[in-house]
Amino acid sequence: MATITKRRWTTSKGEDREAWTLAYTDRQGKRHKEQFAKKREAETRRVEVEGQISKGAFRAEAAKKTVKDAIDAYIKHLERRHEKGEQVTTMYLRNTTGQLRGHIQPELGDKKLSELTARGVTDLIYKLKDNGIGLPTIRRAVGTLSRALQFAVGQDMVAGNPVKGIRVTGRRGEGSEKVVPPTKKELADIQKAAKEQPERRSKQPTGLLLRIQFAAAAGLRASEQWALLWRHIDLDTAVVTIETRVDGFGNFDTTKSLAGTRTIPLGKTIVAALKEWREETRYGKDEDFVFPDARGGFTRHTNFMKREWKPLIKSAKVKDIGWHALRHFAISTWIEAGLQPKAVQTLAGHSTFQITMSRYGHLFPSDDHSTAMDKIAAALYAK
């Protein structure tokens, strides 16, 4: 039972004041008091609190803590996990912090957790769109907010997560996850430019052409390819085992997900090129990087893009594509070769079948509608 009483007092300066006090007891028997300037505000809060208590959804902290408090707690939680090496990389921590501090906190940070609603989150999405923020960025930011609030639920800061179930939608085709891989001609032009590009003055050759061919055949993520050691490649059985990755800060970790740990078969041409490369490189021992930098360390992707890839794309005179496009190319060739969707998911290291189909499903061959209907009719009306 909640009660509302009027309170009057006189300040130290002799000024008369009044307010409305809401008093109530939660399911654990703890007494709470909240003060409001107007009676209707106290009444609104009373109805809300009584409903939450009756449903077992009341959290006292929600009326005091703000969205910023939830963000702070979540980031601190991630920082502790990062320090302990619990699957939170430096890159993930920085990206998550940037999304919460840059897009969420300025708009919702001061709002009490008890006042945050799905409507409020939807309004934020519209505002970010109006500010010219792209759909992929908005989706990442809203997803990160949802994870932060889910953590707050687990900490008894709030009873529910109002972001859960909210979708960031756009115009048809806008922000689509469907992948359009480079064409075979574009890849041929890139390889031709790589062959014509003179090696930099260094005792350690770059192996740029092989880097490209390997990425376009094995479909590794950049973080996986740059972490690859010679012991991960069995040149006799023609397979490469993916089990580690490295981020731009030099932090080595297990693969992006459990599904990321996988074995990929290699073609004879790539195996032959790798054997030749192991003879040519100064770093051919089992614990050496397959594609090292000039000093034998891991390749820093940002430097590689700036010094090698971007100039190469310019000289090849093809559209400006990222290195990740080579992974898309590899997966598209697996599909073209007739591999089944589940096999493609395994080789690509996707954590779910849905990811594979949402990005590459349109590339799988299918019967036209007429043929499909003929087959159905034949089965239904067979004599």
Side-chain angles (χ1 to χ4, degrees):
M1 181 69 180
T3 60
I4 297 175
T5 57
K6 190 173 185 178
R7 178 186 173 222
R8 292 189 177 94
W9 73 97
T10 302
T11 67
S12 58
K13 295 182 179 180
E15 299 173 340
D16 292 331
R17 292 282 188 271
E18 68 175 31
W20 297 88
T21 301
L22 170 67
Y24 55 92
T25 303
D26 62 26
R27 284 191 167 189
Q28 285 72 44
K30 185 176 181 180
R31 195 68 174 165
H32 302 274
K33 287 186 178 182
E34 297 180 27
Q35 187 167 284
F36 301 88
K38 298 179 180 179
K39 186 177 182 179
R40 67 171 178 269
E41 294 175 349
E43 286 286 0
T44 300
R45 177 59 176 159
R46 178 187 64 79
V47 173
E48 179 185 21
V49 165
E50 287 182 339
Q52 290 176 343
I53 292 175
S54 66
K55 296 176 183 178
F58 173 75
R59 300 292 184 275
E61 291 289 311
K64 304 174 184 178
K65 299 291 186 180
T66 64
V67 174
K68 180 181 180 301
D69 292 327
I71 288 174
D72 290 343
Y74 182 58
I75 290 176
K76 187 173 291 186
H77 164 69
L78 292 181
E79 289 174 342
R80 285 196 292 265
R81 286 183 56 190
H82 174 64
E83 291 172 359
K84 295 179 180 179
E86 296 176 351
Q87 294 186 328
V88 176
T89 65
T90 302
M91 187 70 73
Y92 180 82
L93 178 60
R94 291 196 179 191
N95 288 342
T96 298
T97 302
Q99 289 160 9
L100 292 173
R101 301 292 194 207
H103 297 300
I104 305 300
Q105 189 171 313
E107 303 296 336
L108 299 178
D110 294 334
K111 187 173 286 293
K112 294 288 193 297
L113 288 173
S114 62
E115 299 172 352
L116 183 63
T117 62
R119 172 64 183 273
V121 177
T122 301
D123 288 343
L124 169 65
I125 292 171
Y126 287 139
K127 189 166 186 178
L128 292 175
K129 286 182 179 179
D130 291 341
N131 290 338
I133 307 300
L135 276 184
T137 300
I138 296 175
R139 284 174 178 148
R140 284 192 290 269
V142 172
T144 301
L145 172 61
S146 182
R147 290 189 290 275
L149 291 176
Q150 200 59 45
F151 174 77
V153 170
Q155 297 298 304
D156 284 338
M157 295 174 69
V158 66
N161 180 358
V163 184
K164 195 172 183 179
I166 291 180
R167 295 182 61 190
V168 181
T169 59
R171 294 185 299 273
R172 181 174 295 181
E174 185 181 9
S176 172
E177 287 188 283
K178 289 183 178 179
V179 167
V180 179
T183 65
K184 292 178 181 179
K185 183 181 184 308
E186 287 172 333
L187 184 60
D189 290 341
I190 293 171
Q191 292 184 81
K192 180 181 178 183
K195 291 176 183 177
E196 296 173 350
Q197 184 170 303
E199 284 282 358
R200 64 190 177 200
R201 293 182 178 179
S202 171
K203 294 180 180 179
Q204 168 60 29
T206 62
L208 180 58
L209 178 60
L210 180 57
R211 290 174 187 246
I212 295 168
Q213 293 172 334
F214 185 86
L220 274 62
R221 301 175 178 90
S223 60
E224 296 169 342
Q225 184 164 337
W226 304 147
L228 205 61
L229 304 177
W230 280 111
R231 64 175 173 82
H232 292 136
I233 300 179
D234 190 328
L235 295 174
D236 294 325
T237 59
V239 295
V240 55
T241 300
I242 315 303
E243 59 184 19
T244 57
R245 59 175 173 154
V246 60
D247 65 20
F249 305 97
N251 297 308
F252 287 82
D253 200 353
T254 54
T255 51
K256 190 175 181 181
S257 65
L258 185 61
T261 302
R262 60 202 189 277
T263 300
I264 301 173
L266 300 173
K268 294 179 180 179
T269 304
I270 289 294
V271 170
L274 285 168
K275 288 180 178 180
E276 184 178 334
W277 171 243
R278 192 166 190 176
E279 292 294 326
E280 183 181 359
T281 179
R282 296 175 62 198
Y283 307 102
K285 296 179 181 178
D286 284 351
E287 295 303 317
D288 287 336
F289 292 106
V290 178
F291 302 105
D293 64 9
R295 298 180 179 179
F298 74 94
T299 293
R300 292 184 179 273
H301 191 63
T302 302
N303 291 343
F304 174 78
M305 291 294 290
K306 180 180 179 181
R307 299 171 184 174
E308 304 286 351
W309 183 250
K310 291 292 185 181
L312 179 65
I313 291 298
K314 187 175 181 180
S315 62
K317 297 180 180 179
V318 298
K319 66 182 180 184
D320 188 12
I321 60 175
W323 179 262
H324 199 71
L326 298 179
R327 171 172 161 83
H328 296 326
F329 181 87
I331 294 173
S332 71
T333 60
W334 301 342
I335 295 171
E336 184 181 354
L339 293 184
Q340 294 301 306
K342 192 63 181 178
V344 172
Q345 177 199 344
T346 301
L347 293 176
H350 290 151
S351 57
T352 66
F353 183 69
Q354 182 181 1
I355 292 175
T356 304
M357 296 310 294
S358 65
R359 295 177 184 174
Y360 303 96
H362 62 293
L363 298 178
F364 285 92
S366 61
D367 293 329
D368 60 41
H369 293 166
S370 295
T371 303
M373 291 301 180
D374 285 343
K375 289 181 178 179
I376 295 171
L380 287 175
Y381 303 109
K383 294 182 180 180

